Amino acid sequence: MQTLEFRVMSTNALIAAEGHDWATYGLRETRAYIEASERRFSRFLPDSELSQLNRAAGTWFTVSNDLMDMLEQSLDFYKETSGLFDPSVLPDLKRLGYDKSMDEIRTQGKVVNAPASARTLRQAQGGAPRPAFNEISLDLAGRRVHLPSGMEIDLGGIAKGWIVEKAAELLSTYAAVCAVSVGGDMVFKGYPMDGSDWRVNIEDPRDPTQTAAALHVGPGAVVTSSIAKRSWNQGGQSRHHLIDPRTGEPAQTDWLSVTVVAPQITTAEVYAKAWLIGGEEQAARLAAQRPEIAYFVIKSDGTLLGSQNSKEYLNDLSYI
Amino acid sequence: MKLLKFGMRFWITLTSVFSFLVGWAMLAHAPKPVQAAAAQPSSSVAPLPTLAPLQPLNFSSNGGGVQQQQFSIVQPSAPSFFSPRQVFNTGGS
């Protein structure tokens, strides 16, 4: 199997394909596609389509079919998760210091403080809370989007998965057996030539050099959300990028990471975040909505939990 | 010309008949196809494996009839004995 590793979206990407010349060409094309997609949907690039949409809040803005698809899916998932998945938390992310790419934050170290959440400030000043994500209007026929004034969206919770899915579809036109992984969000197409399953190791969030569990999966998607990776220090306080939309603050949870195995990567990505934010309290409700997906949880004390349907993905040795 | 036509007809007829006879002889001496059921004694026929019934999933149901996910604690896995090949790591980004 041929592989290609590179850095994109402030994380590591690994793409793989069975085959020879066509696979080599496909890997190059897929990398180019992923890099171009980042330029289109990154909120850190002022000329990206997403940044332009955010600047156009309060007016109708014409978007591409791809961005419309992401927004449509985001709206559906917002409703499905009762708001636990909410792309409109961008003002809170910026206030907490995540206003530049994670690579830049890591390079610069600490970020300046800005204490109260946008939601809290507005409410304290007697103003209405910031607009809810479902106040967004989509004109599917005209490909136009209207963000309410004051709304800014971050598609970080879904865009990476969406791009990985499209990249895997592209790569599969060159090699029927292939995989695309960006920052641990991965899609597998077909089965490896030796007839075995794909091997996925779940990192221990307390020590990423260690493996907490080894999975074997078929075609489909695996996604992990973790509060340990995109974290930083703000005014002496530890912050992470998973904002609880109910409070506007980083989610308070003793779950360090959630790994989801699902047929569709956008579903896996959204539910991994929803489970991490909602925690044990919301876990059963979310699971009941999507019985087809399995998930694993690593708690702060190192305990590994799995949903009932997760056992089929675990290496047999895990039960020893 | 007439002689040439006659010669050609004779030659085509002769080669056709010869080819037919050669083919007949080859088929007649070829080994007969084995009829599996008849050729093998019944005692050597392997019985078909019987599949075990699938284990039902151990979900509990709440009052509303909605399946409720239950947690089970599993041990962190031991080092894998899979053959060395591409392994993907997932840990968030």
Side-chain angles (χ1 to χ4, degrees):
Chain A
M1 183 168 291
Q2 297 191 54
T3 59
L4 180 61
E5 290 181 68
F6 55 98
R7 194 153 178 88
V8 69
M9 303 181 207
S10 296
T11 190
N12 297 319
L14 167 63
I15 54 180
E18 296 266 21
H20 298 288
D21 295 347
W22 277 105
T24 308
Y25 188 70
L27 290 174
R28 282 204 302 266
E29 288 291 300
T30 304
R31 175 182 182 168
Y33 175 81
I34 294 171
E35 290 171 340
S37 298
E38 181 188 17
R39 290 192 291 274
R40 291 177 65 195
F41 303 122
S42 170
R43 70 177 168 94
F44 304 114
L45 302 173
D47 293 333
S48 73
E49 191 179 0
L50 180 62
S51 295
Q52 292 179 49
L53 172 64
N54 280 331
R55 284 198 297 273
T59 62
W60 283 96
F61 183 77
T62 303
V63 299
S64 64
N65 285 327
D66 292 341
L67 184 53
M68 182 63 89
D69 184 32
M70 270 187 250
L71 291 169
E72 212 181 340
Q73 287 194 46
S74 296
L75 203 49
D76 290 342
F77 282 125
Y78 174 82
K79 293 169 186 167
E80 189 176 317
T81 61
S82 304
L84 286 176
F85 169 75
D86 184 353
S88 66
V89 294
L90 181 54
D92 288 320
L93 273 172
K94 286 180 172 177
R95 174 183 55 80
L96 292 165
Y98 192 11
D99 55 353
K100 52 183 86 65
S101 76
M102 193 48 61
D103 278 348
E104 288 177 273
I105 290 175
R106 284 171 187 143
T107 306
Q108 294 171 7
K110 295 178 181 178
V111 297
V112 290
N113 201 8
S117 75
R119 181 184 298 257
T120 310
L121 271 179
R122 289 182 68 143
Q123 284 173 334
Q125 291 163 358
R130 64 172 169 76
F133 183 60
N134 60 1
E135 291 176 39
I136 188 174
S137 302
L138 305 181
D139 171 13
L140 299 178
R143 278 200 293 110
R144 296 184 312 151
V145 177
H146 182 273
L147 299 186
S149 292
M151 180 183 283
E152 285 183 286
I153 58 174
D154 171 29
L155 293 174
I158 193 170
K160 180 143 61 76
W162 188 94
I163 292 168
V164 168
E165 175 67 45
K166 299 295 178 188
E169 282 173 16
L170 171 65
L171 185 54
S172 69
T173 61
Y174 296 94
V177 178
C178 62
V180 175
S181 169
V182 178
D185 292 7
M186 49 194 74
V187 165
F188 300 105
K189 299 278 188 186
Y191 284 91
M193 291 298 191
D194 61 5
S196 58
D197 290 332
W198 297 93
R199 285 185 56 199
V200 178
N201 286 345
I202 300 178
E203 289 175 6
D204 184 340
R206 299 166 305 162
D207 179 3
T209 62
Q210 300 296 313
T211 296
L215 310 183
H216 52 93
V217 300
V222 180
V223 169
T224 296
S225 270
S226 168
I227 63 171
K229 280 285 173 73
R230 292 192 188 228
S231 59
W232 63 94
N233 192 294
Q234 183 193 40
Q237 282 192 296
S238 179
R239 304 292 199 187
H240 63 80
H241 75 302
L242 287 174
I243 302 298
D244 187 337
R246 299 167 295 187
T247 63
E249 299 292 331
Q252 299 291 316
T253 173
D254 70 337
W255 288 10
L256 293 183
S257 74
V258 175
T259 298
V260 172
V261 183
Q264 297 294 324
I265 191 171
T266 47
T267 309
E269 188 165 24
V270 165
Y271 270 76
K273 286 171 180 64
W275 263 310
L276 204 51
I277 292 169
E280 202 156 356
E281 182 188 323
Q282 301 285 331
R285 182 183 66 80
L286 291 167
Q289 290 178 174
R290 292 279 186 169
E292 78 275 18
I293 66 182
Y295 65 105
F296 302 87
V297 175
I298 299 177
K299 297 177 72 174
S300 53
D301 63 1
T303 310
L304 176 65
L305 304 173
S307 57
Q308 277 291 332
N309 56 351
S310 67
K311 288 182 179 176
E312 64 181 287
Y313 302 107
L314 275 171
N315 187 341
D316 289 342
L317 292 171
S318 300
Y319 294 106
I320 292 173
Chain B
M1 191 64 181
K2 258 186 159 181
L3 188 64
L4 178 64
K5 272 187 175 177
F6 175 78
M8 284 183 72
R9 282 178 184 154
F10 179 76
W11 174 248
I12 291 168
T13 305
L14 187 68
T15 53
S16 298
V17 171
F18 178 75
S19 301
F20 175 78
L21 290 174
V22 168
W24 185 292
M26 285 177 67
L27 283 173
H29 290 88
K32 301 284 185 296
V34 178
Q35 299 201 353
Q40 294 183 359
S42 60
S43 60
S44 68
V45 177
L48 288 172
T50 308
L51 294 174
L54 290 172
Q55 296 275 337
L57 290 175
N58 188 22
F59 283 112
S60 65
S61 296
N62 62 15
V66 181
Q67 288 185 328
Q68 186 178 350
Q69 210 78 348
Q70 291 209 326
F71 288 102
S72 58
I73 297 176
V74 293
Q75 297 296 316
S77 63
S80 172
F81 289 160
F82 280 111
S83 60
R85 58 186 168 82
Q86 187 61 54
V87 178
F88 293 82
N89 289 314
T90 184
S93 59

